[in-house]
Amino acid sequence: MTGQCILCGKCMEVCPLLRATNREELAPRAKSELCRVLEASPGELSEIDAARLAGLCLGCGRCAEICPQGVDVPALVAGLRGAHPNFKSWLWKTWLTRAKQLWAPGSAAARLVPEAFHIGNLGPMLKMLAGMSGGSGLEPFAEIGRFPDTWRGERMLLFAGCTANYVQSRWLAAALKLLDGLGVEVLPGDFTCCGSGLKCAGFADEGADMAARNVAVWRAAGRPKVVTFCTSCLAGLRAYDGCFEDEAEQEKWRESQFPLSRILHHADFMISDNVPEKLGYHHPCHAGKADPDRDLLAGVLGGRLVAATDRQCCGFGGVMRLAAPGATDPVNRECWDALQGAEVVLTGCSACLAQLSATAPEGVKVGHWLEIMK
Ligand code: SF4
Ligand code: SF4
């Protein structure tokens, strides 16, 4: 549900695309107005205009978070993408719905393409694909000496997400090891993709099908807690709507979503000598203001955490990588400016990680925080 813009300008202060580009036409309220005008007849947009529209929003959700009127600009843009018959997002759809078959070979193949072939829009896309697997990964340096008893014996489902399931199996192995140490019984559950990437790209029906399937898995397991370790998946799961028996069930679903970092907060960590001296943390936009990954890492790493992003988006932008990769560059540069000085950058979002791995300065490594766990 999205309200009526009153032109208060609050969203202008938080939009990373506006801040990095200084282009007023990319501001959330301009998009809100544009979507309102086009809502009645989206089919009249030309193919070129539709492709431009896809480049207008990173889908970071910062404007929606702050808007007093409940205007959800990324949802408006996604709706328009979905309604537009000329929008060429079939490639994105294929990529998202066939993750199992395409992601691992796609990422491996992209790493083999020589720099000389990184021409035009293809270059950023190939780098993003290669970055998904994170190369050889980070060298682990953190270990839990004593696990808290808080969750011992609790039965939970694990929502690993497409990247961990199909490309980054080491994250899945690390998460299972931690849950085992915590004494959590991981229930079997055949979750599918969270569907948020499809929703953002304009495929509302496909996203809704995935949501309904995931909620059915949770229901069949007795509505237990659901552990996640990807910030974007968590945000996508929490935003499910329209697939519940009633409001009480929807509320129960939201309360059941648990980031793995949150249940590790009372664990005692030991750091080994191979720890890098200068670490950075990227705060994903979809984490919102409260970010349990950041809180966990601040406690574990202390003074070694020398740089962190706060309002700086990585510039991934989902479908923007295909439609307007150049528009994300200034946003991405601002992000790396904030991370200056870090030798290793950690994050908890698979999409941010793909983007940051693809754009990291020479000598800087990027990884999911799970990769530092021994
Ligand atoms: S914060 Fe909301 S109401 Fe205010 S200008 Fe932005 S979209 Fe409009
Ligand atoms: S979702 Fe992010 S990039 Fe898009 S208009 Fe809102 S703040 Fe700007």
Side-chain angles (χ1 to χ4, degrees), residues 20 313-314 326 328-339 355 359:
C313 173
C314 69
T328 69
D329 291 347
V331 179
N332 177 256
R333 273 197 297 276
E334 207 179 54
C335 182
W336 278 114
D337 285 348
L339 292 167
Q355 166 77 340
T359 55

Side-chain angles (χ1 to χ4, degrees), residues 4-11 28-29 32 66-69 71 73:
Q4 184 74 40
C5 175
I6 52 169
L7 303 176
C8 71
K10 285 188 192 297
C11 54
R29 74 177 178 195
S32 157
I66 204 168
C67 177
Q69 291 293 101
V71 177
V73 173

